Amino acid sequence: GAGVSQSPRYKVAKRGQDVALRCDPISGHVSLFWYQQALGQGPEFLTYFQNEAQLDKSGLPSDRFFAERPEGSVSTLKIQRTQQEDSAVYLCASSLKGSNTEAFFGQGTRLTVV
Amino acid sequence: SQQGEEDPQALSIQEGENATMNCSYKTSINNLQWYRQNSGRGLVHLILIRSNEREKHSGRLRVTLDTSKKSSSLLITASRAADTASYFCATDMFGNEKLTFGTGTRLTIIP
């Protein structure tokens, strides 16, 4: 595909349920990022991969959040025992390695925890 | 936490007018980028300006950067209805690719 693809687009989870959000980055992009965007706010950084290595996970809000990119391409963000405060849009972005490069964002997954 | 703030939070102008929005940030940066987000769509990259640059143009967009004041502005000239969106600035620091976003400006173009 031409862009970053995320699935599902929408997810409704019952409180306490585990969810998995998928990101397919642009082919050949080394860097992959996850962001969380609350309603009316700017995106906030969660975690960053360079190939399969998770170089920064300082933004993950709790140990219920886990991300992986085992083969350096597709990434999954997993949230265990979801809480209402986890409701947000989760955005994935990819870029060619290095600074001074544009990040391309997917359309996001809107997670609603009820 | 958000790196900075955008000003104004919301702006409504008539089609054809120019729109200016400002971004302030807190720490030293490597690059500053502007993104647009339409309702229901992802973030779209508009323009990147490096810390050693003061002004950059792309089509109807003009970005300025003042590192002494830790601020940037985005000017959209001859606005169109399709420019209606939220606009975010985002910064990265030397040696760290992650982006830190501002709070956004919601721009409405009135036809």
Side-chain angles (χ1 to χ4, degrees):
Chain A
V4 177
S5 176
Q6 291 187 247
S7 61
R9 287 290 313 280
Y10 303 92
K11 176 70 178 178
V12 178
K14 291 185 178 178
R15 190 166 47 186
Q17 187 179 351
D18 297 350
V19 298
L21 312 180
R22 178 188 168 104
C23 173
D24 279 89
I26 293 173
S27 178
H29 277 194
V30 170
S31 299
L32 185 145
F33 307 83
W34 284 97
Y35 292 85
Q36 180 191 59
Q37 187 175 23
L39 189 63
Q41 299 294 314
E44 295 214 9
F45 171 80
L46 293 176
T47 188
Y48 158 54
F49 291 86
Q50 195 174 97
N51 295 307
E52 69 277 6
Q54 189 174 21
L55 298 187
D56 187 344
K57 55 181 180 179
S58 61
L60 296 177
S62 77
D63 58 8
R64 297 186 295 104
F65 287 70
F66 171 77
E68 60 183 3
R69 193 186 185 198
E71 297 178 359
S73 178
V74 171
S75 177
T76 304
L77 176 67
K78 298 179 180 177
I79 309 173
Q80 297 177 321
R81 304 181 303 282
T82 52
Q83 304 294 315
Q84 280 194 316
E85 61 263 27
D86 300 335
S87 296
V89 175
Y90 290 85
L91 296 166
C92 176
S94 70
S95 70
L96 293 169
K97 179 177 177 235
S99 296
N100 307 325
T101 59
E102 172 186 348
F104 294 83
F105 282 80
Q107 293 195 20
T109 294
R110 182 178 297 279
L111 173 65
T112 304
V113 181
V114 297
Chain B
S1 61
Q2 308 284 176
Q3 157 74 298
E5 296 181 355
E6 269 123 307
D7 163 50
Q9 287 190 332
L11 177 63
S12 291
I13 61 172
Q14 295 288 333
E15 192 170 16
E17 292 181 341
N18 296 341
T20 300
M21 54 204 88
N22 304 294
C23 164
S24 61
Y25 56 91
K26 298 173 185 172
T27 62
S28 296
I29 63 169
N30 184 28
N31 304 296
L32 185 143
Q33 304 184 48
W34 284 90
Y35 284 83
R36 181 184 70 220
Q37 187 174 42
N38 296 95
S39 173
R41 299 184 66 178
L43 287 155
V44 174
H45 179 264
L46 297 176
I47 196 163
L48 180 151
I49 186 165
R50 298 182 179 151
S51 58
N52 61 354
E53 297 177 312
R54 292 296 166 257
E55 188 171 311
K56 205 158 184 182
H57 297 255
S58 176
R60 294 184 297 113
L61 306 179
R62 172 179 170 254
V63 168
T64 62
L65 178 64
D66 186 335
T67 53
S68 67
K69 295 181 179 177
K70 292 187 170 58
S71 68
S72 174
S73 68
L74 171 67
L75 167 68
I76 304 174
T77 60
S79 62
R80 305 168 181 170
D83 295 330
T84 293
S86 290
Y87 291 80
F88 295 92
C89 67
T91 57
D92 65 79
M93 296 190 291
F94 290 97
N96 192 332
E97 289 187 58
K98 76 179 185 186
L99 294 174
T100 305
F101 285 82
T103 50
T105 293
R106 191 169 62 254
L107 175 66
T108 303
I109 307 300
I110 304 165

